[in-house]
Amino acid sequence: MDPVELATSCTMPPVLSRSAVVEQPKTLRSARLKVDTYNVAAVAPYQAMPVAGPVITHHKSTALPVVEPHPEMTEEEREARIAEMIDSYMKKLAERTHHHMGYPYNLDFDYGLLEGLTKFSINNLGDPFIESNYGVHSREFEVGVLNWFARLWEIDEEEYWGYITTCGTEGNLHGILVGRENFPDGIMYASAESHYSVFKAARMYRMQAEKIPTLESGEIDYDELKDALIANQGKPAILNLNIGTTVKGAVDDLDHVLDMLKEAGYNEDRFFIHCDGALFGMMMPFLRRDAPMVTFRKPIGSVSVSGHKFVGAPVPCGVVITRFKYVMALSSDVEYLNSRDATIMGSRNGHAPIYLWYTLTRKGYEGMRRDVERCMRNAHVLKQMLESAGIRTMLNELSNTVVFERPKEEAFVRKWQLACEGDIAHVVVMPNITVEKLEEFVADYVQSRARVAIAAAKRVACEAKAAEELDA
């Protein structure tokens, strides 16, 4: 039985009386959901409804009611009901994990050795490098992970500052905040294909921002960027560069942008570059050395990546690193913590650094390199498989994101959890995606296209038959 059905089959407690409450006009969430012809019950649980217009207003999640104690149910029966609901949910997660192709998450990990840590409330509140009075933390793991990334991005341990974030978005929020605090009157520049969190940060911080058009590849349009920089020479520049865009996996050329800044008259004390490397910032250092590498040997201000993407983790997390000289602009002492703080969040997940440390320790730099090489190789395999089936594709040179024609069947999109935009969709080839899974996906896609084609042909035939009957 579905967990929702299990929960709703339980008798719910009576609703408290509201007779004494003065009812106010209500703004109902359901009233803002777009009414359409889709059968909500037929949509895979925990999945968004398909997009049916320019404004997404009809995504509706189901609720899993809390199982309240009831006199007619013994404690043993209640515990058994809860266990059955969790077991059903775990089976659903396993099925959804198998058919996961569209989002850049590495689902190939095993943290069984760390399961005992769930007994502890591990909180890394405050500055990772300064212990607070709260002793149940994992700072030693966090700083170890940060030092690993510092070596990856080539910055001395005494010259950087960073922390383990909740996700890549928080890394972007922090990187752009550091830029804004060091250049309060700066203008932010980012490409139109930047992650939505970049312009969210600009709104949050009330920053002047310019959205720069992109090339067909998804890279920032360098000529447009240069024109904007020259037009605003009187103000510092805060730039977000994408080390792999969300949809097309495009990498903005850091070296080219640095040359442009110099040509436009911006010295290093008049610009701040944040590199959004959510997925590919973790992979880029392991590619050939002639790629435009992200490194603090170049005058960048910060880099952020997601930890749950290429590394893989059971909780969303990420890493952000900036130069220590920059973070001082927003760092402050907090007596309550007996520490300093320059993070976005106060309390931070202390389990996440341990997950990252565990994987990085087991794999090391060479293990990560092998994972990168396998993903890049399999991305080309997928591209060739799709093209051999007559499906148009695109794969940027420095990317493991294979872009192709958007499938016509929404059921197929939901089944494989594809990320779609306009008339394109993509698969991000991660370490957990094997050649066998790619083969299964392509075969399923070909069958989906055949079903759509046959249905279209039958419609034509039906129309022709109807016309013949009218003529008769």
Side-chain angles (χ1 to χ4, degrees):
M1 185 181 292
D2 185 274
V4 175
E5 296 175 12
L6 283 166
T8 52
S9 66
C10 301
T11 304
M12 301 302 292
V15 178
L16 297 177
S17 173
R18 286 182 159 183
S19 58
V21 179
V22 178
E23 294 291 338
Q24 299 293 327
K26 297 186 176 86
T27 300
L28 301 179
R29 179 174 62 247
S30 57
R32 295 185 60 83
L33 297 176
K34 183 185 295 183
V35 177
D36 54 35
T37 58
Y38 289 105
N39 178 4
V40 176
V43 177
Y46 315 106
Q47 295 278 135
M49 295 285 284
V51 177
V55 179
I56 304 171
T57 60
H58 56 260
H59 289 183
K60 182 175 175 58
S61 297
T62 56
L64 189 63
V66 174
V67 180
E68 294 284 350
H70 193 272
E72 297 179 2
M73 182 186 296
T74 66
E75 187 61 25
E76 291 75 13
E77 291 173 332
R78 182 167 172 268
E79 290 297 326
R81 179 70 60 86
I82 294 172
E84 188 178 354
M85 292 166 64
I86 295 299
D87 181 66
S88 176
Y89 175 64
M90 289 181 67
K91 290 177 181 176
K92 195 165 294 182
L93 289 181
E95 189 277 330
R96 293 287 74 201
T97 296
H98 178 75
H99 293 102
H100 177 271
M101 299 283 278
Y103 294 86
Y105 304 147
N106 180 5
L107 305 181
D108 183 21
F109 55 81
D110 182 1
Y111 291 107
L113 185 65
L114 308 181
E115 287 179 358
L117 296 175
T118 58
K119 299 177 182 179
F120 302 97
S121 178
I122 309 176
N123 191 331
N124 288 6
L125 67 175
D127 192 306
F129 302 93
I130 305 174
E131 291 196 11
S132 75
N133 286 347
Y134 185 74
V136 189
H137 61 74
S138 63
R139 278 179 172 80
E140 58 268 60
F141 292 93
E142 182 170 19
V143 175
V145 170
L146 293 172
N147 286 341
W148 191 92
F149 278 93
R151 290 192 294 275
L152 186 71
W153 294 324
E154 300 181 308
I155 185 170
D156 187 86
E157 291 181 9
E158 292 297 316
E159 295 182 7
Y160 86 87
W161 187 91
Y163 71 103
I164 306 298
T165 62
T166 56
C167 59
T169 287
E170 186 183 350
N172 288 341
L173 293 177
H174 192 273
I176 294 169
L177 177 62
V178 171
R180 198 283 304 271
E181 291 299 282
N182 281 273
F183 299 102
D185 60 337
I187 298 175
M188 191 188 82
Y189 303 89
S191 83
E193 297 195 33
S194 297
H195 190 262
Y196 69 88
S197 63
V198 172
F199 292 101
K200 176 197 288 189
R203 291 195 302 274
M204 289 174 64
Y205 305 145
R206 299 292 190 267
M207 297 172 65
Q208 182 180 347
E210 294 208 11
K211 186 178 290 188
I212 308 299
T214 56
L215 305 174
E216 186 177 354
S217 65
E219 292 176 70
I220 196 167
D221 188 316
Y222 303 103
D223 291 337
E224 293 278 354
L225 174 60
K226 187 173 182 179
D227 289 344
L229 289 169
I230 292 173
N232 299 314
Q233 277 181 322
K235 291 188 176 182
I238 300 169
L239 299 98
N240 176 84
L241 297 186
N242 296 307
I243 314 304
T245 56
T246 307
V247 177
K248 297 178 182 176
V251 177
D252 294 334
D253 191 325
L254 172 60
D255 295 338
H256 188 27
V257 171
L258 288 170
D259 289 340
M260 286 172 40
L261 284 164
K262 186 176 180 180
E263 293 168 6
Y266 289 79
N267 298 324
E268 291 184 15
D269 60 352
R270 294 191 61 246
F271 68 81
F272 182 97
I273 296 176
H274 171 67
C275 297
D276 176 9
L279 168 65
F280 214 64
M282 182 75 208
M283 302 173 68
M284 190 81 146
F286 300 107
L287 297 179
R288 63 183 193 275
R289 297 307 296 182
D290 62 337
M293 288 296 168
V294 174
T295 168
F296 281 93
R297 292 180 183 273
K298 302 172 184 178
I300 62 174
S302 58
V303 185
S304 65
V305 296
S306 297
H308 58 285
K309 289 183 178 167
F310 196 77
V311 177
V315 295
C317 56
V319 175
V320 64
I321 283 184
T322 186
R323 297 181 189 275
F324 184 75
K325 66 177 182 179
Y326 287 141
V327 84
M328 296 305 294
L330 64 154
S331 183
S332 59
D333 290 329
V334 183
E335 183 179 2
Y336 171 74
L337 304 179
N338 192 26
S339 181
R340 293 183 65 80
D341 190 28
T343 65
I344 296 289
M345 299 298 178
S347 292
R348 293 183 288 111
N349 187 337
H351 291 83
I354 305 175
Y355 295 134
L356 297 181
W357 177 91
Y358 182 76
T359 295
L360 297 177
T361 297
R362 293 187 67 192
K363 292 189 174 183
Y365 290 103
E366 283 307 309
M368 300 305 293
R369 185 187 305 279
R370 287 192 294 271
D371 283 352
V372 170
E373 291 173 351
R374 185 170 67 255
C375 289
M376 300 296 283
R377 182 172 62 251
N378 286 346
H380 285 275
V381 169
L382 174 59
K383 182 176 187 294
Q384 293 169 10
M385 291 172 68
L386 289 170
E387 289 177 345
S388 67
I391 301 167
R392 291 176 296 169
T393 67
M394 184 190 85
L395 175 60
N396 275 306
E397 184 180 9
L398 299 173
S399 179
N400 60 326
T401 300
V402 182
V403 182
F404 49 88
E405 304 168 47
R406 180 173 183 160
K408 302 293 185 183
E409 282 189 327
E410 289 296 340
F412 178 83
V413 170
R414 295 196 301 277
K415 175 181 178 180
W416 289 98
Q417 302 161 68
L418 299 181
C420 302
E421 187 175 276
D423 60 354
I424 62 174
H426 73 212
V427 162
V428 187
V429 182
M430 300 298 289
N432 60 294
I433 297 181
T434 62
V435 173
E436 290 74 20
K437 183 171 288 190
L438 293 176
E439 187 177 15
E440 179 186 355
F441 169 77
V442 173
D444 201 7
Y445 189 13
V446 170
Q447 292 170 11
S448 171
R449 286 165 66 93
R451 287 192 296 269
V452 171
I454 291 171
K458 286 184 175 180
R459 283 196 297 271
V460 173
C462 286
E463 291 171 1
K465 291 176 182 177
E468 287 180 351
E469 290 175 359
L470 288 174
D471 291 342

